[in-house]
Amino acid sequence: MNRIPDSWRPRAVRISSAPENLAGLSPLLDDARSAVGDVPALLELAKTAAETAPNPGEGRTAFLWEILASVTAVDVAAGRAIEPHLDASAILAQAAGHAAVEGWECPDFDGVHFDGAWGVFAAEAAGLRLEAKPADGCFLLQGSKPWCSLAAQLDHAVVTAHLDDIGRAAFAVDLHAPGVSFADPEWTSRGLREIPSGTVHFDAVPAVPLGDAGWYYRRPGFAWGGMGVAACWLGGAVAVARGFKESLAEAADGGREPDQLALAHLGEIDRTLTALAGYLARTAAEIDAGGLSGAGAWSEALRVRGNVATAVERIQTLVSQNLGPGPLAFDPVYGKRMADLALYIRQYHGMRDDAQLGALTLKGDHPW
């Protein structure tokens, strides 16, 4: 796996924090640079980040997003590795004190211990179904879960499973438990090659419920976590923009000044990223003030994710058109970044997410 050159110094991505606060991220970003392409090291990075990263909604949401964006700006796959671990940490914290699924009386349960590396598996796919079956006051997971990134290398996961006909609930599960098996993901993507996503099979695997049926989706943290993914996308776009600016500066140093088109595109990229950072700063402040803890949280998450994803695609297009095929063919860092980011933002569902937002807007859930 090609690594980022040692001469390249990682820089934090600022959303709203003072520069002196962001300076404290330097050791984490240096570790991220050293861990590029090394999955065990990336998972250790995730655990290190969780030791100091705040949870969303606790007063430092913008700083959490700066951590996610800054690590992703070093390497998109690094951001993709740490985000689920931090999300799982937040989910477990949010579940504390919430009533679990009715009928759960596991006598040997003494709390969920946040040890090892965690994932969050909530995707669904046609032909695959994961069910939670009551058994002697506890729950056993039975079935299959798709799109489980790095599952075979993780220790635990938060998973969603169907509870008969009453909906889906979230569970904490030990991925080393008997009955857990991992299908070969046959990952052929050029993007996020070190973060394969495959199917996990569960055969009567004990699981600890987190909240009651539907709690996972009702909680405002579901929307906040979706915005955290968008912060990662922003970090990837910042890295693309920084590389573009540096390539123009190097060309100018060599006597080839950028033309008006290149400057216009750099200017568009600058105002786009500046606007997005301001938007995320305001949104984070609103979350911390308690203003996005109700029904409007998911609408705002759809706006944030849509605006960031659209901007990422636009920035990638502008930079790719300006730099041409050369760096895609011969620059391993640039090529990896562009491929990783193009796949990562496909977690945004484009017009389908806009349709969902439009339905909420039609009901009156909008700020204008």
Side-chain angles (χ1 to χ4, degrees):
M1 183 66 67
N2 293 297
R3 292 184 175 274
I4 294 174
D6 290 338
S7 59
W8 188 80
R9 181 70 179 177
R11 289 179 287 157
V13 175
R14 181 176 183 271
I15 293 174
S16 65
S17 293
E20 56 269 24
N21 293 334
L22 290 178
L25 294 179
S26 292
L28 180 68
L29 302 186
D30 287 338
D31 289 343
R33 179 183 63 175
S34 299
V36 172
D38 184 343
V39 172
L42 290 176
L43 295 179
E44 287 299 318
L45 180 75
K47 290 187 284 184
T48 299
E51 293 174 358
T52 57
N55 290 325
E58 295 182 352
R60 302 177 67 208
T61 300
F63 186 63
L64 168 65
W65 292 352
E66 286 166 336
I67 293 173
L68 293 170
S70 298
V71 171
T72 311
V74 175
D75 178 61
V76 175
R80 180 66 183 84
I82 76 163
E83 185 278 324
H85 184 82
L86 297 185
D87 191 32
S89 175
I91 292 167
L92 294 178
Q94 292 158 10
H98 283 268
V101 178
E102 185 177 355
W104 172 57
E105 299 174 351
C106 294
D108 57 348
F109 175 69
D110 61 355
V112 179
H113 300 288
F114 196 77
D115 296 325
W118 283 68
V120 179
F121 307 148
E124 301 284 331
L128 296 176
R129 183 179 174 90
L130 181 63
E131 296 183 338
K133 301 290 188 180
D136 298 326
C138 299
F139 287 90
L140 300 177
L141 297 182
Q142 188 71 42
S144 302
K145 199 68 173 172
W147 292 103
C148 300
S149 299
L150 291 178
Q153 299 186 64
L154 299 176
D155 300 298
H156 302 87
V158 174
V159 302
T160 56
H162 294 266
L163 278 168
D164 294 327
D165 296 324
I166 64 174
R168 280 178 287 172
F171 297 84
V173 62
D174 181 355
L175 294 175
H176 299 301
V180 179
S181 59
F182 311 97
D184 183 355
E186 298 180 356
W187 195 250
T188 63
S189 172
R190 294 294 180 182
L192 297 175
R193 295 181 67 176
E194 61 269 67
I195 316 287
S197 295
T199 299
V200 179
H201 303 294
F202 298 86
D203 184 8
V205 178
V208 176
L210 303 173
D212 59 9
W215 170 83
Y216 177 83
Y217 299 98
R218 290 195 313 269
R219 65 191 171 91
F222 179 68
W224 302 344
M227 296 184 216
V229 173
C232 291
W233 299 341
L234 173 66
V238 167
V240 172
R242 287 173 174 172
F244 179 46
K245 175 194 168 186
E246 289 161 5
S247 70
L248 295 181
E250 289 174 4
D253 289 342
R256 191 173 73 255
E257 294 292 335
D259 60 18
Q260 287 293 97
L261 189 60
L263 291 174
H265 286 170
L266 184 60
E268 179 181 340
I269 290 170
D270 171 74
R271 59 180 171 80
T272 298
L273 291 175
T274 301
L276 285 177
Y279 182 20
L280 287 178
R282 293 190 299 274
T283 303
E286 189 173 357
I287 288 172
D288 291 334
L292 286 175
S293 58
W298 185 240
S299 292
E300 195 60 34
L302 289 170
R303 295 184 193 106
V304 167
R305 288 167 64 88
N307 283 326
V308 174
T310 301
V312 168
E313 291 183 315
R314 175 62 176 167
I315 289 169
Q316 285 190 288
T317 297
L318 291 176
V319 172
S320 181
Q321 288 178 347
N322 271 276
L323 297 184
L328 285 173
F330 300 111
D331 184 336
V333 174
Y334 173 88
K336 180 181 187 303
R337 180 183 297 140
M338 295 292 269
D340 288 351
L341 190 55
L343 180 58
Y344 197 1
I345 61 170
R346 288 281 59 80
Q347 287 188 10
Y348 171 63
H349 302 121
M351 287 189 288
R352 288 183 174 85
D353 279 358
D354 275 348
Q356 186 180 164
L357 179 58
L360 295 170
T361 301
L362 191 61
K363 295 178 180 179
D365 189 5
H366 57 81
W368 40 271

